[in-house]
Amino acid sequence: MGRLLLACHLYGQLELDLFFAARLPNSREGTRWQHILQTLMCYRLIDPGSEWRLHRQWFEQSAMGDLIGADYSLVEKNALYRCLDKLLEHKDALFLHLRQRWQICSPLPSTCSSMI
């Protein structure tokens, strides 16, 4: 559970919840895209594998659902793929956001920051 808490903390430190708040609103059907995205990110950091494995095995064996207040329906396999598809249109903005967060969280000497 420690790794999962650390991954969730990193998600918050990178302010990905704020970045995606307007970009990935909940759907009219109630799909919580931000929770799906946070689950995908934590999964990739902790125990990388396929979306199928996340859907069939990892989510049930982790405490992710408890941490974000979601049940197994959150990781329905098609929702995982649709969430990844939704990220594509925000790719450039996401990289810019991550670069800015990196510079704030880990200031580098001026000689190193020109290499980023």
Side-chain angles (χ1 to χ4, degrees):
M1 176 124 163
R3 295 179 300 169
L4 188 54
L5 287 172
L6 183 60
C8 288
H9 180 73
L10 177 61
Y11 189 86
Q13 286 293 317
L14 293 174
E15 296 182 355
L16 292 173
D17 51 344
L18 300 174
F19 176 81
F20 283 111
R23 292 172 175 88
L24 291 178
N26 294 343
S27 73
R28 288 187 301 254
E29 297 81 24
T31 304
R32 297 181 295 182
W33 296 113
Q34 285 199 55
H35 284 170
I36 295 171
L37 175 61
Q38 185 175 4
T39 300
L40 282 163
M41 191 210 84
C42 290
Y43 171 64
R44 294 286 168 100
L45 284 173
I46 295 168
D47 191 16
S50 68
E51 284 74 22
W52 178 253
R53 184 170 159 264
L54 166 60
H55 163 74
R56 297 291 292 172
Q57 182 182 17
W58 186 83
F59 189 81
E60 285 186 350
Q61 294 176 352
S62 75
M64 191 70 201
D66 295 328
L67 288 174
I68 61 175
D71 63 15
Y72 182 73
S73 65
L74 180 78
V75 293
E76 187 271 322
K77 65 180 181 198
N78 291 329
L80 297 173
Y81 293 116
R82 287 192 333 236
C83 185
L84 292 172
D85 289 343
K86 288 178 172 293
L87 294 181
L88 287 176
E89 68 183 275
H90 307 294
K91 180 180 171 182
D92 293 335
L94 176 60
F95 281 120
L96 179 61
H97 173 79
L98 291 173
R99 180 179 176 189
Q100 291 169 344
R101 291 302 303 155
W102 175 260
Q103 289 173 339
I104 290 169
C105 294
S106 177
L108 298 173
S110 60
T111 56
C112 295
S113 61
S114 64
M115 292 186 279
I116 298 178

